[in-house]
Amino acid sequence: MRAHPLLLPALAAATALLAGCGAKAPGAELFPLESGHRWTYELRTDWEDQRVEREQRSFESLGSDGSLSDGAAFLRRSDAGMDYWLRADDSGVFRVASRSLVQAEPERDEARRYVLKAPLAVGTQWAAPTITYLLQRRQGFPAEVRHSAPAVPMNYVIEALGQAVDTRAGHFEGCLRVKGTAALKLFADPVSGWRDLPLLTTEWYCPNVGLVKLQRQELAGSPMLLGGTLTMELLSWQ
């Protein structure tokens, strides 16, 4: 999601990780870092074959954790069994490791995977690897393209500040919008041949709440491939 990806995590920072004289690090207000928070989202997938799928996903921030060899980071856990470790400093908020249900130990990220990068201004850019979450083969195994396709770079940019966003969790003001763009080269069909299929992500972060909405588009437009649009909308938070 970056997997957010999802897809995109929220976590925490403590005093040692905050920038300058106890002030919050850039992005910490738009991506709450303290422990004790819980977010519940609806994930709706609109497939190109007109099917619609819905599920709920919750995340909770568990505070400072000492599992990593290079010092404390802040742990966030999803109800799907994924753990994420994040830190924050003057450069922004970033992920440093993750762990799935089948992994015994955290897997370190090769480089910082920014959630929000400073300065928090229109035009700020960064990049991080992404995989496809939605694209599937209509025939063949494995159906999910992510099991065989490599990760590709996604370029992020802060598109707008001061945005208003409505979700089922409420109305939010002063939000920041991030756009991510990537392309995955795949064999689409015998007529089109190899094509660069766009992977597009839009994320909205709101003060003192964090991620309130995310939309991921992976449209195939191919008789051999199936794509769709994933919308992640905040239902409740604390």
Side-chain angles (χ1 to χ4, degrees), residues 14-232:
T15 304
L17 298 175
L18 297 179
C21 301
K24 283 191 174 183
E29 182 185 20
L30 292 167
F31 198 77
L33 301 174
E34 61 273 7
S35 63
H37 291 295
R38 183 178 177 88
W39 301 262
T40 299
Y41 300 89
E42 182 190 71
L43 277 65
R44 170 180 168 140
T45 304
D46 292 88
W47 295 100
E48 288 179 310
D49 61 5
Q50 308 306 310
R51 288 181 298 120
V52 176
E53 295 179 347
R54 290 182 173 88
E55 62 177 313
Q56 287 191 12
R57 184 65 42 81
S58 294
F59 300 84
E60 57 181 331
S61 55
L62 301 178
S64 182
D65 177 80
S67 298
L68 304 182
S69 60
D70 62 345
F74 290 83
L75 177 61
R76 190 184 188 212
R77 177 166 294 158
S78 81
D79 59 1
M82 284 294 300
D83 288 342
Y84 306 95
W85 285 263
L86 292 95
R87 293 182 176 135
D89 62 17
D90 287 336
S91 69
V93 181
F94 51 92
R95 196 187 84 182
V96 294
S98 62
R99 180 176 59 197
S100 69
L101 280 172
V102 299
Q103 294 174 303
E105 301 294 334
E107 180 180 355
R108 297 299 304 266
D109 294 316
E110 293 184 5
R112 294 179 173 186
R113 295 177 63 106
Y114 280 95
V115 178
L116 291 170
K117 194 174 189 302
L120 299 181
V122 173
T124 296
Q125 300 182 41
W126 65 95
T130 189
I131 59 173
T132 172
Y133 294 101
L134 300 177
L135 288 174
Q136 298 182 10
R137 297 178 181 86
R138 294 180 186 266
Q139 295 182 344
F141 182 84
E144 294 82 4
V145 171
R146 65 178 175 269
H147 295 309
S148 57
V152 295
M154 176 164 273
N155 297 309
Y156 295 92
V157 61
I158 297 177
E159 278 196 321
L161 305 175
Q163 299 288 288
V165 184
D166 288 300
T167 76
R168 276 171 285 178
H171 177 79
F172 303 98
E173 299 277 354
C175 305
L176 177 149
R177 186 176 77 236
V178 175
K179 183 74 170 183
T181 58
L184 178 64
K185 186 177 288 294
L186 287 175
F187 186 80
D189 56 70
V191 176
S192 302
W194 289 86
R195 288 168 40 200
D196 286 327
L197 299 182
L199 312 178
L200 306 175
T201 295
T202 306
E203 303 162 4
W204 289 264
Y205 296 90
C206 300
N208 304 313
V209 180
L211 180 70
V212 301
K213 188 175 180 180
L214 178 148
Q215 187 176 77
R216 176 79 169 208
Q217 290 183 309
E218 299 183 6
L219 302 179
S222 163
M224 294 180 60
L225 296 170
L226 176 66
T229 299
L230 170 71
T231 301
M232 183 172 172

